[in-house]
Amino acid sequence: MKNPRYERFRVLMHQFHRNHPWRLTNGLFIPHAYLEPDKVNLWDDVGFILNGRRVMVWWIHPQARYEDEIARRAYEEAGPMPDDSAPWSEEKRWKRVGRSRKRAVTYRTQGWSDQMKAYFERVDAIEERLRQEGIDYEARPSLVVRWYRWGIGMELCAPLEVKGVEGVRVLAKMAKRLLKRYITLEESFLCHSHN
């Protein structure tokens, strides 16, 4: 028996894809530019079409997830950010356009206050200490697939080496195989968990 909720999602995905065409490069939606094609990325995004529906893959390397956890703990340990509106206040520079009119031509923002600089220096120091000591956190390969009105979203954490456009192609190929259930995450990354 078909699930009406998922059937509705399927229809919405097909309609969205038909009405909002994607700009694809050799069958892939590649939202980022790769100025240094040999640089190894620790996260990336790629999209492709599968059965008339969009699939968007948001990939992160376990090492990057570990670093994110260190940053999260450092901000938590540093406490709340100082109440400082200085970086968001701006000064407009005006230019005359006519006798009585003028228009803003540039905006100048103020730098961080000493209080804010001290806060971020404290966060950096805590991050460095946590890196040196290590934290009790294991970033394992994981996959979360969600259905949206516009398509399918895949959050993938896997120890891959993604370099430039060619690495993104390999990532998309693997994501497609995972979605079609030709392979499982466990088969692909058995014993590859990183800290």
Side-chain angles (χ1 to χ4, degrees):
M1 188 161 129
K2 291 185 177 182
N3 183 327
R5 182 170 184 263
Y6 284 111
E7 288 306 309
R8 174 128 176 83
F9 266 119
R10 279 192 175 96
V11 169
L12 289 170
M13 287 181 209
H14 279 288
Q15 286 174 348
F16 186 86
H17 180 59
R18 253 194 326 269
N19 297 329
H20 302 87
W22 233 356
R23 204 179 61 238
L24 301 177
T25 306
N26 295 327
L28 297 178
F29 173 70
I30 302 173
H32 307 292
Y34 298 95
L35 304 176
E36 301 173 52
D38 293 333
K39 182 181 175 220
V40 176
N41 299 323
L42 293 179
W43 64 269
D44 217 323
D45 308 316
V46 65
F48 53 88
I49 308 302
L50 182 65
N51 300 330
R53 289 173 284 203
R54 289 181 185 194
V55 177
M56 193 67 203
V57 181
W58 302 294
W59 167 75
I60 187 168
H61 194 284
Q63 183 181 343
R65 186 163 279 170
Y66 183 78
E67 284 294 318
D68 289 348
E69 180 63 16
I70 285 177
R72 188 193 69 73
R73 290 183 187 193
Y75 276 101
E76 191 176 277
E77 191 177 316
M81 193 178 290
D83 188 22
D84 185 3
S85 61
W88 296 279
S89 64
E90 57 187 33
E91 176 188 324
K92 291 182 183 178
R93 304 251 174 169
W94 301 92
K95 177 183 176 186
R96 286 182 125 2
V97 284
R99 285 186 188 183
S100 60
R101 294 183 321 156
K102 40 186 187 167
R103 84 170 170 212
V105 287
T106 60
Y107 297 88
R108 194 177 98 193
T109 56
Q110 297 176 4
W112 296 107
S113 68
D114 292 340
Q115 197 179 14
M116 204 64 127
K117 286 178 191 170
Y119 175 78
F120 286 117
E121 285 171 7
R122 188 166 69 242
V123 168
D124 289 345
I126 294 168
E127 281 183 4
E128 193 53 41
R129 178 179 52 81
L130 291 174
R131 267 188 213 98
Q132 296 298 321
E133 294 172 357
I135 59 172
D136 184 26
Y137 180 79
E138 188 175 0
R140 291 184 169 170
S142 64
L143 174 65
V144 177
V145 178
R146 291 193 175 95
W147 285 36
Y148 300 97
R149 297 169 76 89
W150 52 264
I152 297 170
M154 290 180 73
E155 294 175 30
L156 176 63
C157 177
L160 298 169
E161 187 172 281
V162 176
K163 289 183 184 177
V165 175
E166 202 46 51
V168 170
R169 287 188 204 296
V170 171
L171 172 63
K173 192 174 184 178
M174 193 193 99
K176 203 176 281 190
R177 291 173 52 96
L178 285 167
L179 255 184
K180 289 180 172 184
R181 297 187 181 163
Y182 292 159
I183 57 172
T184 65
L185 206 57
E186 291 78 24
E187 290 170 355
S188 302
F189 302 106
L190 200 61
C191 303
H192 281 168
S193 58
H194 292 290
N195 284 10

